[in-house]
Amino acid sequence: MAICAGRPPLQGELTLGRYRRGGVLRRPWYTKNMVEIIQAILTESEEELVRLVHIMERAGVKRAHLDICDGIFVPTRTIKGYEQLARLQTDIIFDVHLMVRNPEEQCGYWCAVKSADRFLVHVETVKAFATLASHAKQCGKTIGVAINHETPMERLKAAKGATNLVQFMTVHPGRQGRPFVPEVLEKVAMLHAAHPDITIMLDGGISPQNAHACVAAGASALVSGSYVVRSSDMRRAIEELQVAVIQ
């Protein structure tokens, strides 16, 4: 399994090259793409955020995924996030996943947070995605749309033309450690077939047992919470996911 030519992959990324199966050299759809393995943080305290970020720094993590929950859209309530990240000294760049009822009310607070450059809001809660995406762009941020596994794909039309990033929830959102929902992969494959240039991110229940199937379906970014964060060796857990992608 050859790694593509070019720069060495960064921590959390894996360049996929040709692979041999059944004695035949094949080239998957993602040959020249970078598959990101992104570590998720879901916490109720600033102390836990700082602790996890320090562990991630030692593991060489470059990008993390911060879950923000309001206790309404999902039952869990986390830190607000923007205040804590503004105080945190780190070189890690953050995705911010807003699992909240009114994402429009929160996005303004995040514009000033330098370490957060990419946001995900749920199609189930956002009222005017194109308007929100325009405001985010003015702040120098990127915004994507997240969709729960039970939500009809037609709801993604609300974000058409306003983003090239879609995140599918592969668990029911709000808590880490919930089981992976394999039925989502059919939706992933459908979206990738129709829009191959869209970045598809899968969030929840990601492990070495399903990572390859996720990428084969069309995902180019995998968000892993419990498997990586609860591991006794975060760096090794990340490497296990990277290896699983190409097996």
Side-chain angles (χ1 to χ4, degrees):
M1 299 181 184
I3 299 298
C4 290
R7 68 165 176 80
L10 299 175
Q11 177 70 29
E13 294 183 330
L14 186 62
T15 308
L16 300 179
R18 294 182 297 173
Y19 68 106
R20 190 176 297 277
R21 178 174 293 172
V24 178
L25 197 62
R26 303 179 185 273
R27 185 176 292 274
W29 69 265
Y30 43 77
T31 298
K32 295 181 180 180
N33 288 354
M34 302 298 290
V35 176
E36 287 187 285
I37 307 294
I38 307 173
Q39 292 67 61
I41 298 176
L42 189 154
T43 179
E44 300 175 359
S45 73
E46 184 170 0
E47 292 75 18
E48 179 69 359
L49 171 66
V50 172
R51 185 185 73 84
L52 289 173
V53 167
H54 287 167
I55 294 174
M56 289 179 177
E57 289 173 333
R58 292 194 293 270
V61 169
K62 303 300 181 183
R63 177 176 290 276
H65 186 94
L66 182 62
D67 288 323
I68 303 299
C69 309
D70 63 359
I72 302 172
F73 177 59
V74 294
T76 304
R77 183 183 293 274
T78 65
I79 56 174
K80 292 181 179 179
Y82 51 85
E83 297 172 341
Q84 291 82 4
L85 276 192
R87 290 192 288 265
L88 187 61
Q89 298 297 316
T90 181
D91 291 330
I92 293 176
I93 302 300
F94 288 85
D95 294 339
V96 178
H97 181 191
L98 293 172
M99 291 182 277
V100 299
R101 185 175 61 179
N102 295 307
E104 292 89 350
E105 294 180 0
Q106 292 205 18
C107 282
Y109 295 110
W110 286 99
C111 282
V113 182
K114 295 181 180 180
S115 58
D117 71 341
R118 194 162 67 178
F119 300 88
L120 294 142
V121 298
H122 272 261
V123 69
E124 296 88 358
T125 61
V126 68
K127 298 176 180 65
F129 184 85
T131 300
L132 192 60
S134 177
H135 290 165
K137 186 176 181 180
Q138 292 174 13
C139 295
K141 312 291 186 181
T142 299
I143 194 164
V145 61
I147 183 168
N148 288 343
H149 64 82
E150 71 273 19
T151 301
M153 291 266 289
E154 289 75 16
R155 295 286 299 275
L156 290 174
K157 293 179 180 179
K160 186 176 181 180
T163 184
N164 63 353
L165 173 61
V166 175
Q167 175 178 283
F168 284 92
M169 296 305 299
T170 42
V171 296
H172 193 73
R175 294 186 185 278
Q176 290 185 344
R178 288 179 169 174
F180 181 80
V181 181
E183 291 79 10
V184 178
L185 297 185
E186 183 176 352
K187 294 182 177 181
V188 172
M190 290 173 59
L191 182 65
H192 178 68
H195 304 281
D197 294 332
I198 285 180
T199 297
I200 299 177
M201 181 183 295
L202 301 191
D203 181 5
I206 303 299
S207 72
Q209 286 68 45
N210 55 45
H212 177 79
C214 291
V215 176
S220 53
L222 305 179
V223 179
S224 181
S226 58
Y227 183 79
V228 173
V229 173
R230 297 178 185 177
S231 170
S232 60
D233 187 335
M234 187 176 290
R235 185 186 294 271
R236 181 175 179 179
I238 295 168
E239 292 172 350
E240 289 172 348
L241 286 171
Q242 291 174 324
V243 170
V245 165
I246 58 174
Q247 286 184 335

